[in-house]
Structures are given as structure tokens and as C-alpha cells.
Amino acid sequence: MTPRQNRHRDRAGRGIPEATVARLPVYLRALTGLQERDVATVSSEELAAAAGVNSAKLRKDLSHLGSYGTRGVGYEVEYLVYQISRELGLTQDWVVAIIGVGNLGRALAGYGGFASRGFRVAGLLDADESIVGQEISGMTVEHTDRLEDMIAGHGVSIAVIATPAGAAQGVCDRVVAAGVTSVLNFAPVVLSVPDGVDVRKVDLSIELQILAFHEQRKAGGPDGFAPLAPAEAPAGAAQYVETVEA
């Protein structure tokens, strides 16, 4: 059993909810900010405010780690950073490969936050011959023909897919077949993976659409506009609405 599988089993054994796991990086970011300001201890109320959650939820989340703070003192920032980092697996290095070196892939390659958070980018790969061989952020882009060799040679744990939608599933199938069980997907497509493979999807267009929804509500919402008559609606609009509502 791999260390990753052990960690999943241990986490399940302690009964840490996935919603709590999703909030741990937010707490860690807030705590790191406190560390940078040389703050030694923090109350649950202060940490909750910095993380954007209520204090009761924060205390319950941290209790899953065995951290309850000290009444009248709060939580020791440095130790809580260690606890959360250990739970998230950040006390060891994780090797990352970025597949797809367009504008987004280049931006990810140059992101300085990977190394400081326990992630090491081992390589960049692309299928475009005009990109292969370029130097980007100190790394030479290699052809995707070498994907399996890179995964095996560098012990890649996480694959970041930043390819066009049409290529993403094929790339995902290859990285999974090569033994990678964690995928961060930036391609605008839903990937199909077998059991035991974790996929996190980042879709900027969806996030923008959600923000547009809230902006519309703040401006009065669709109720403030007269509904379009069928003849006025754009072609295909009814089908689109039916698909979204389904």
C-alpha cells in the first residue's frame, strides 16, 4: 500500500469529513499569514474570521486533528501549522508534472507558491512541436511522448492537466495507467477516472458565471427584467435553459 493510500485510510479511520479537509488549506493560509507577522497564538474567533468561517465550525474542524486549543489562550500558531500541514501531507515533497504548456500552463509553471507549499514541479510536457524544447521557468518543455518516462523517472504523484478539452481525457488515461492517482484538471471537460483516482477540477469560467449570478441578484435579479417572449429569445436558448435546469 502506498503512502497516499495509507493516508486516505488513516483519514477515513479518524472520520475526518471531506468538507473539513477542504477547509484545512484555508486555515493553513490564514495561519501562515499570522506566522509571517510573528503572531504566536490566535483565538478561534480570530482564526475563524481570517478564514471566513464561524468559530464553532472551526473548532469542530480542528477537533478532528486532536487540536482543541487552550481556554483563554487559543491555539499555538506554529504547532497548528504543523498539525494541518502533516494532515494534508505537506511535510513531505510531492512531485508534479504539468501537461499542456499554453498560456495557463506557463502561468502555473511560474507560480512560486508550489515550492513553498511542498510541491515540486518535475517537468512540463506538450504535444506542440513548436513549444517542445522551449525553456519556461527554468525547465525545458518535453514532448508528451515522454509522459510515462517522466512519471516513472521522477516519481510524479500529481498530474496537472492544462490541455485543450479534446486532449484532456486521453492524457488523463495515460497518467492514470502510469500510476498517478491524483489529477488537477484545468481543462474545460469532466474527466472519467477509475475508483481510487482523485480528480480536482478548476474551471474559471464556471466561477465567473457564479459571480455573474450574484452580481445579477445584487442588481435586482432576473425578476427585475421582463421575460423574453419566445420569438425574442436567442436561437437554442430554450434548449440551453432546459439542459441547465436538468
Side-chain angles (χ1 to χ4, degrees):
M1 181 173 289
T2 67
R4 181 182 301 279
Q5 290 170 326
N6 271 323
R7 192 172 72 257
H8 285 178
R9 184 184 66 179
D10 292 346
R11 188 177 70 197
R14 291 198 302 275
I16 300 180
E18 287 299 325
T20 294
V21 175
R23 287 189 289 269
L24 291 180
V26 181
Y27 301 151
L28 184 59
R29 181 176 59 193
L31 287 161
T32 301
L34 293 171
Q35 263 190 328
E36 291 172 352
R37 300 198 302 272
D38 295 322
V39 176
T41 60
V42 61
S43 70
S44 58
E45 289 78 11
E46 291 168 333
L47 182 55
V53 302
N54 65 64
S55 57
K57 180 178 291 185
L58 178 137
R59 286 192 294 270
K60 183 174 181 180
D61 286 343
L62 296 184
S63 72
H64 289 295
L65 308 184
S67 185
Y68 298 91
T70 303
R71 184 178 297 276
V73 177
Y75 296 92
E76 184 182 341
V77 171
E78 183 176 357
Y79 182 61
L80 194 51
V81 165
Y82 168 73
Q83 280 187 300
I84 295 176
S85 297
R86 182 182 60 182
E87 185 60 42
L88 291 174
L90 304 182
T91 53
Q92 57 184 305
D93 287 334
W94 297 101
V95 183
V96 177
I98 298 175
I99 306 105
V101 196
N103 291 334
L104 179 56
R106 289 168 187 261
L108 293 170
Y111 175 54
F114 282 133
S116 64
R117 289 169 172 81
F119 301 96
R120 178 172 61 85
V121 178
L124 312 174
L125 302 105
D126 202 285
D128 188 338
E129 295 288 357
S130 67
I131 297 176
V132 173
Q134 291 185 18
E135 289 285 333
I136 297 174
S137 299
M139 291 174 284
T140 302
V141 179
E142 300 191 48
H143 198 281
T144 49
D145 288 347
R146 295 206 63 250
L147 178 58
E148 288 80 4
D149 291 338
M150 178 176 287
I151 290 172
H154 292 274
V156 171
S157 301
I158 300 171
V160 177
I161 297 178
T163 65
Q169 185 63 59
V171 168
C172 183
D173 291 343
R174 288 177 63 190
V175 300
V176 170
V180 174
T181 58
S182 292
V183 176
L184 181 60
N185 177 34
F186 284 90
V189 64
V190 176
L191 298 177
S192 175
V193 296
D195 290 342
V197 176
D198 296 317
V199 176
R200 299 290 297 183
K201 180 170 173 54
V202 181
D203 193 321
L204 301 179
S205 65
I206 287 178
E207 299 303 325
L208 287 170
Q209 289 170 32
I210 292 171
L211 288 174
F213 167 85
H214 290 296
E215 283 298 311
Q216 179 176 245
R217 286 295 186 272
K218 286 184 282 188
D223 293 338
F225 301 93
L228 289 174
E232 298 175 309
Q239 180 179 353
Y240 172 79
V241 171
E242 289 172 3
T243 302
V244 172
E245 291 181 344

